[in-house]
Amino acid sequence: MGHLCPLHQDAEECDKAGSVATCQAVIRAVIGIGIEEEDRKHTWMEDADSCVAHGALECARAIYAHALQVFPSKKSVWLRAAYFEKNHGTRESLEALLQRAVAHCPKAEVLWLMGAKSKWLANDVPAARSILALAFQANPNSEEIWLAAVKLESENNEYERARRLLAKARSSAPTARVFMKSVKLEWVLGNIEAAQELCTEALRHYEDFPKLWMMRGQIEEQCENMDRAREAYNQGLKKCPHSVPLWSLLSRLEEGVGQLTRARAILEKSRLKNPQSPELWLESVRLEYRAGLKNIANTLMAKALQECPNSGILWAEAVFLEARPQRKTKSVDALKKCEHDPHVLLAVAKLFWSERKITKAREWFLRTVKIEPDLGDAWGLFYKFELQHGTEEQQEEVFLENVSRSGPQHDVAITRQPTRDQLCVGNERFINSGP
């Protein structure tokens, strides 16, 4: 906060004393002093952050207000101000700001989407629809806005509306993602034939989009057409040889029909085509482990760590491949190689949990979600841990932390906050797994 002068500090004192008007007047008077014109935006954003860090929220709000007067067409300033209101203001202050933002920056899709999401989370679906309709007018071929509108309808069980929107989107913005969401909607609704037809049409346009091949294969598997599923995965791999999920799906199909040797060969081939892929090594290790061939799994893990010595997902798995007495030593090795990797931190948390070292386990869970707030596995296990060992307050804290974590990737999509069931109880992996 190198720019802030004593008068700024006076403004912060006024803010803390509740003298909002005085605080705002002081900020307006001194905000431009001693700053080069080209440095204004960057410096003011830093000043606002500093005020937030000091708890001087009205000072920060006044800085954003001034910056927006000077830079009314800068999307980045509107976004920063919007995130400020989202985290520290009210829903009304956020929505009022976003309404002004889209008037100045109508091409900024993210601002429209934040406004629609705010209305939707307040259960005002018609208002969210209206915002997206205006967004369409300003951005007629925007994939993001089409897909947000589709999600709004499907999440509210308006499937026919969602279907009509997707049909229009395929006409005006026929992207791979629009096709993928079209297939997924029909698949989820059980309209398998429609899903298959859409998948075929989509692949005529986007044969190098691996998710379409994955969906085609999975739909056939669901219908127990294993030969067709195998064909879909193999065709997909000819077009997308670097798609790790496609290789994994083909291998698991063969494993599922009892063809362990074929599954193993597929993964060996995948690693030749995609060297130094931790995910494929991990899939190979787990294949052998599921087959009860723990010695082969351990041998493969040793090779995997030679080829990918800094892979957190491999080291995390390696900890639990060891017999219980050796796990602590392995975890120390993992931390030496991947000190800040969330998968390794999560493995250490699980290790302490398995040893009933509750305080240490909680500490490592907290480290994990702090370093990677988007790791869903960590939140699910952390919540399960607190359900077993925490107080109601601790359970509530983990739940609320998960649903309130902020950032651009959490604001753009129209997505409901997860329920407690979705966070843990609904996820059998976490119920049936533990430390």
Side-chain angles (χ1 to χ4, degrees):
M1 184 168 147
H3 161 246
L4 295 193
C5 63
L7 280 171
H8 275 85
Q9 285 147 23
D10 289 345
E12 288 189 4
E13 292 302 321
C14 293
D15 188 341
K16 289 170 186 173
S19 305
V20 174
T22 308
C23 143
Q24 291 170 338
V26 172
I27 289 291
R28 283 196 299 271
V30 302
I31 194 167
I33 295 173
I35 310 176
E36 296 292 335
E37 192 168 322
E38 64 269 19
D39 295 333
R40 290 179 302 173
K41 183 164 79 82
H42 174 73
T43 303
W44 291 342
M45 295 302 97
E46 280 192 346
D47 289 351
D49 287 344
S50 179
C51 290
V52 171
H54 294 162
L57 301 183
E58 291 303 333
C59 284
R61 189 172 276 117
I63 291 169
Y64 283 124
H66 183 82
L68 289 168
Q69 283 183 331
V70 177
F71 302 109
S73 60
K74 287 285 185 186
K75 181 181 86 170
S76 61
V77 180
W78 284 107
L79 265 178
R80 293 282 287 268
Y83 290 132
F84 169 79
E85 293 298 344
K86 178 180 178 294
N87 292 323
H88 304 288
T90 62
R91 183 171 67 84
E92 290 75 18
S93 68
L94 170 63
E95 290 175 0
L97 183 122
L98 288 169
Q99 200 168 359
R100 288 167 50 219
V102 295
H104 287 283
C105 303
K107 298 294 182 189
E109 298 168 359
V110 64
L111 296 170
W112 290 105
L113 294 172
M114 285 179 75
K117 181 176 180 180
S118 181
K119 291 291 187 189
W120 186 57
L121 289 177
N123 294 314
D124 192 347
V125 175
R129 273 195 200 114
S130 298
I131 288 172
L132 290 173
L134 291 170
F136 274 126
Q137 290 176 19
N139 304 272
N141 295 315
S142 163
E143 176 190 77
E144 288 295 338
I145 292 169
W146 276 114
L147 293 180
V150 168
K151 193 166 184 71
L152 176 69
E153 302 303 347
S154 58
E155 292 274 350
N156 284 281
N157 302 322
E158 295 280 0
Y159 300 119
E160 200 50 51
R161 278 178 181 262
R163 186 179 280 126
R164 287 199 302 270
L165 279 169
L166 283 165
K168 287 181 185 176
R170 292 196 300 277
S171 298
S172 64
T175 65
R177 282 180 69 212
V178 164
F179 271 109
M180 183 183 75
K181 298 292 184 184
S182 302
V183 175
K184 186 177 179 183
L185 178 68
E186 300 302 341
W187 185 14
V188 167
L189 294 177
N191 302 322
I192 300 302
E193 196 173 323
Q196 288 170 322
E197 286 173 7
L198 279 167
C199 208
T200 300
E201 183 189 350
L203 285 166
R204 280 200 292 269
H205 299 281
Y206 298 103
E207 61 179 14
D208 59 349
F209 192 65
K211 286 185 179 178
L212 291 170
W213 293 108
M214 289 160 58
M215 291 171 86
R216 169 175 267 188
Q218 288 172 301
I219 291 169
E220 296 296 355
E221 279 197 69
Q222 184 180 312
C223 298
E224 298 185 1
N225 297 325
M226 296 307 172
D227 288 339
R228 286 187 184 177
R230 185 181 290 113
E231 184 186 353
Y233 296 141
N234 277 312
Q235 280 185 303
L237 285 167
K238 285 176 186 171
K239 303 292 182 184
C240 317
H242 302 301
S243 170
V244 170
L246 262 177
W247 286 108
S248 298
L249 283 168
L250 180 57
S251 171
R252 288 182 195 181
L253 182 150
E254 300 298 358
E255 180 190 9
V257 296
Q259 296 291 331
L260 178 62
T261 304
R262 197 181 289 174
R264 184 184 291 137
I266 286 163
L267 290 174
E268 286 171 0
K269 184 178 177 182
S270 76
R271 297 198 309 271
L272 286 173
K273 288 187 176 288
N274 301 277
Q276 296 181 315
S277 168
E279 293 82 7
L280 288 172
W281 276 110
L282 184 60
E283 190 70 26
S284 299
V285 169
R286 287 177 172 173
L287 173 69
E288 304 300 345
Y289 193 84
R290 288 193 295 268
L293 302 169
K294 294 184 182 179
N295 287 340
I296 298 178
N298 281 314
T299 302
L300 275 175
M301 179 59 80
K303 290 180 182 175
L305 290 171
Q306 279 184 328
E307 191 170 305
C308 309
N310 299 310
S311 167
I313 58 170
L314 288 175
W315 277 107
E317 189 82 1
V319 170
F320 287 95
L321 279 181
E322 297 288 336
R324 279 187 182 270
Q326 280 78 50
R327 286 178 184 175
K328 188 173 183 181
T329 304
K330 199 72 171 182
S331 71
V332 172
D333 294 340
L335 285 167
K336 283 178 186 173
K337 284 286 187 182
C338 309
E339 185 183 357
H340 301 296
D341 185 279
H343 300 280
V344 170
L345 299 184
L346 182 59
V348 174
K350 287 166 65 180
L351 189 58
F352 281 127
W353 183 7
S354 70
E355 295 170 350
R356 300 295 181 261
K357 294 177 179 174
I358 304 307
T359 303
K360 283 192 172 182
R362 183 175 289 116
E363 178 189 325
W364 283 84
F365 275 123
L366 285 167
R367 285 190 196 182
T368 305
V369 296
K370 185 176 181 183
I371 208 166
E372 181 46 88
D374 291 335
L375 187 59
D377 285 8
W379 285 108
L381 284 167
F382 192 7
Y383 189 57
K384 184 187 176 188
F385 166 82
E386 292 296 7
L387 286 177
Q388 289 184 7
H389 302 289
T391 62
E392 280 189 18
E393 290 77 12
Q394 286 167 325
Q395 293 164 16
E396 188 77 3
E397 189 177 347
V398 171
F399 179 76
L400 292 176
E401 270 296 314
N402 177 43
V403 299
S404 67
R405 64 193 191 278
S406 62
Q409 64 270 40
H410 304 297
D411 288 305
V412 174
I414 299 282
T415 309
R416 283 279 186 210
Q417 304 289 22
T419 65
R420 285 169 172 75
D421 283 354
Q422 288 167 328
L423 183 60
C424 179
V425 178
N427 192 330
E428 291 179 9
R429 265 189 326 130
F430 296 133
I431 292 305
N432 297 330
S433 71

